[in-house]
Amino acid sequence: MNARNSHLATLGLVRNPFPYTPDAGCYFTTPHLDEQVVEIEHCILARKGFCLLTAEVGMGKSTLVRRLMADLAPKNVVSALVFNTFLQGTELLAAVLHDFGLESTGNMATDIATLNSFLLENHRQGKTCLLIVDDAQNLTEDSLELIRLLCNLETDQEKLLQILLAGQPELEDTLARHNLRQLRSRVVKHARLFGLHSTEIADYIRFRFESSGSDGSLLLATDACQILLQETAGVPRQIHLVMDRCLYGLAARHARVIDAALMKQAIEDSRVSLGSQVLAPPVRPAATATRSTPSPVAVALAMAVVVAAIGVAWYQSSVPVQAAEAPTARVAGTAPLAAALPVPPAQDQSPPSCALTDSSGLPAQTVHEQPLPELAFRLLGARLARQDGVCLTGHDGQHRLRWQATAANLDLKDRPTAARTQIALSHYGSLPATDVDGLWGERSRDALQRFQAGIGLAPTGEIDALSALILEKFYVQAQ
């Protein structure tokens, strides 16, 4: 080990546990990752055609892609990986052929014919051909149309070429354009990756230490883990940046435990080295007025579920929520609100003047109350009428919300109720309009997590009373 890595030897490590480059040979997995990989592999081996993988920067897309290729190689899968997506048109097609070991003529028609012959021959041999395009968010519409043409290479019953597009969330926005609806309709599996949870971060750090030669004495304190989660939102690349700095601090202190003080210092050093005041987790831009118009079919479907939802109660029961501090975790890949949101004037009131009772005259302790994140405060506004059963207070820059007991625990198995929730999420911008179908599944739950994280709530994927209150307002705005 060279002098530059002497601190690793001091800690008893044989390699850097937190490299800055993808490390598919030391792969940490979670139940969510396993589920996504299994489903993608099934679609590829079943020759269903076209899969999509999206995640924010640093979330591990490239590492997962390399894991997929390694897993599929023994299963008669011939893979080509294109990662230079600034190549477009004929150059992109030439790169595809080159990675399959074929020669390009520079003529698109001839090259497609060459590729088709190659795919047919592999099909006769019982092999599956897979094309993976990494960083696909850089592809132009013309190049995506070329991808669609390649997806059309097929026999009477099966796709000859399986395609996986991997990219940042901007790729979802591109595919949502009306003129790319033919390509979008071919997506049989859309996998999304999100940041690690608190317990997953602790397991991840331990896994990386052990796989790098640690004898188990290197530890991450619980409070340090929470600080790391707050700073990185569980994004692996940013975890590596901070943890690499922690290793230097451990070696300098001749210590074995990363405590809160060392974690804070490492975070500060990381900010300085990045030339930034804040090491903020990457987030998806907010939806804007340029959002593509949904197809007529999607509009008709959305209208149908709106009609079906008329008369259905939004709330079924009353479940108080416990007051909690601002959430410590954010889900990467969220759709936070634009900074241009109006900031309502905070009313500097004392809690007694904001006392509420519900219509039954029950005492004030049955009313919900909790701190309100800034973005949620902007969403709700300070002009809500008292008769609405909502009261906002502001004091010393801290916002609190009190409101009469309203229903949570929605029955999302009920299609009209699920559709109402999906319409609200679609209006917010975390769920495509084409996914409004009244069926609550993984996509809807992911959209709910992005909604919650985007407005500063804990991204639980479950509808608590405050989430329901804000979702109702988005639903009303959508009408």
Side-chain angles (χ1 to χ4, degrees):
M1 186 173 295
N2 57 41
R4 183 169 57 89
N5 293 324
S6 60
H7 67 295
L8 299 179
T10 301
L11 298 173
L13 300 173
V14 297
R15 62 194 293 270
N16 186 357
F18 307 104
Y20 295 164
T21 56
D23 189 7
C26 182
Y27 195 84
F28 176 82
T29 189
T30 66
H32 174 73
L33 274 177
D34 282 339
E35 179 183 353
Q36 302 305 310
V37 170
V38 167
E39 291 186 12
I40 293 175
E41 288 188 1
H42 167 73
C43 292
I44 292 170
L45 295 175
R47 296 176 178 171
K48 293 188 175 183
F50 187 34
C51 296
L52 187 64
L53 169 65
T54 57
E56 272 293 354
V57 176
M59 203 63 64
K61 295 184 300 296
S62 298
T63 307
L64 188 145
V65 161
R66 284 162 175 77
R67 176 190 172 186
L68 274 173
M69 294 177 68
D71 288 350
L72 292 170
K75 301 176 182 178
N76 258 358
V77 176
V78 179
S79 300
L81 173 61
V82 175
F83 52 86
N84 185 0
T85 48
F86 290 103
L87 298 175
Q88 308 291 346
T90 55
E91 292 181 336
L92 177 64
L93 181 57
V96 173
L97 265 65
H98 181 268
D99 220 61
F100 274 129
L102 305 173
E103 292 293 331
S104 169
T105 64
N107 179 279
M108 185 168 292
T110 303
D111 283 356
I112 289 179
T114 299
L115 179 60
N116 191 53
S117 298
F118 171 80
L119 298 176
L120 284 170
E121 178 58 30
N122 278 274
H123 184 268
R124 283 192 287 266
Q125 297 177 18
K127 298 179 180 179
T128 300
C129 291
L130 168 65
L131 168 62
I132 301 175
V133 182
D134 202 1
D135 280 334
Q137 75 277 354
N138 297 324
L139 294 176
T140 64
E141 289 189 10
D142 288 343
S143 293
L144 287 169
E145 178 62 16
L146 171 61
I147 296 294
R148 185 186 71 82
L149 291 176
L150 298 183
C151 190
N152 287 341
L153 300 177
E154 57 191 9
T155 66
D156 291 340
Q157 297 181 335
E158 293 180 324
K159 297 290 184 182
L160 287 174
L161 181 62
Q162 314 310 307
I163 299 174
L164 172 62
L165 293 185
Q168 296 168 18
E170 299 93 286
L171 178 59
E172 299 178 35
D173 299 330
T174 300
L175 292 176
R177 296 173 187 169
H178 181 71
N179 54 334
L180 290 175
R181 64 193 183 281
Q182 292 187 13
L183 177 58
R184 184 173 66 250
S185 69
R186 286 165 168 75
V187 177
V188 295
K189 166 62 184 176
H190 182 183
R192 295 179 176 93
L193 305 184
F194 301 107
L196 300 174
H197 300 306
S198 178
T199 55
E200 291 174 341
I201 289 179
D203 292 340
Y204 180 69
I205 299 302
R206 183 167 52 251
F207 169 80
R208 299 297 308 188
F209 277 149
E210 291 175 353
S211 62
S212 301
S214 172
D215 59 4
S217 61
L218 295 179
L219 301 174
L220 175 66
T222 301
D223 53 354
C225 182
Q226 290 300 318
I227 295 171
L228 182 62
L229 171 62
Q230 293 176 36
E231 186 69 17
T232 67
V235 178
R237 183 177 299 171
Q238 294 199 11
I239 290 174
H240 280 221
L241 287 171
V242 175
M243 287 300 298
D244 187 61
R245 301 300 306 177
C246 285
L247 296 183
Y248 286 101
L250 276 182
R253 299 179 184 190
H254 301 286
R256 311 300 289 180
V257 178
I258 300 173
D259 57 18
L262 177 55
M263 179 61 67
K264 291 177 181 178
Q265 183 61 53
I267 289 171
E268 185 62 31
D269 290 346
S270 299
R271 289 170 172 170
V272 172
S273 66
L274 291 176
S276 171
Q277 293 183 345
V278 179
L279 184 63
V283 291
R284 183 177 177 178
T288 65
T290 59
R291 187 185 307 158
S292 61
T293 304
S295 68
V297 174
V299 173
L301 177 60
M303 290 300 294
V305 291
V306 170
V307 172
I310 294 177
V312 177
W314 177 253
Y315 297 114
Q316 303 296 329
S317 62
S318 174
V319 180
V321 261
Q322 297 178 351
E325 296 301 320
T328 59
R330 290 180 60 88
V331 172
T334 59
L337 298 176
L341 267 174
V343 181
Q347 302 173 1
D348 195 2
Q349 300 171 320
S350 61
S353 67
C354 196
L356 296 171
T357 58
D358 63 23
S359 57
S360 65
L362 294 175
Q365 58 261 32
T366 64
V367 175
H368 296 291
E369 179 175 346
Q370 70 179 71
L372 193 64
E374 177 67 24
L375 286 175
F377 174 67
R378 296 190 192 187
L379 272 176
L380 289 172
R383 298 180 180 177
L384 294 175
R386 288 293 180 85
Q387 56 267 32
D388 290 338
V390 177
C391 184
L392 285 167
T393 65
H395 183 68
D396 293 335
Q398 300 297 317
H399 310 301
R400 296 190 69 82
L401 176 71
R402 291 169 58 80
W403 75 102
Q404 291 176 349
T406 49
N409 293 345
L410 302 184
D411 181 11
L412 295 175
K413 294 181 180 179
D414 176 66
R415 293 192 65 166
T417 305
R420 189 181 181 106
T421 307
Q422 289 172 333
I423 291 168
L425 292 171
S426 178
H427 186 69
Y428 168 74
S430 65
L431 183 73
T434 51
D435 284 350
V436 177
D437 55 8
L439 299 175
W440 191 263
E442 182 184 350
R443 290 186 180 185
S444 299
R445 188 175 186 276
D446 290 346
L448 176 59
Q449 286 183 303
R450 290 194 294 277
F451 162 78
Q452 291 170 323
I455 63 175
L457 303 180
T460 63
E462 305 295 333
I463 301 182
D464 55 58
L466 181 54
S467 295
L469 180 69
I470 301 176
L471 281 169
E472 171 68 0
K473 295 199 167 296
F474 274 103
Y475 174 77
V476 172
Q477 292 172 11
Q479 304 312 300

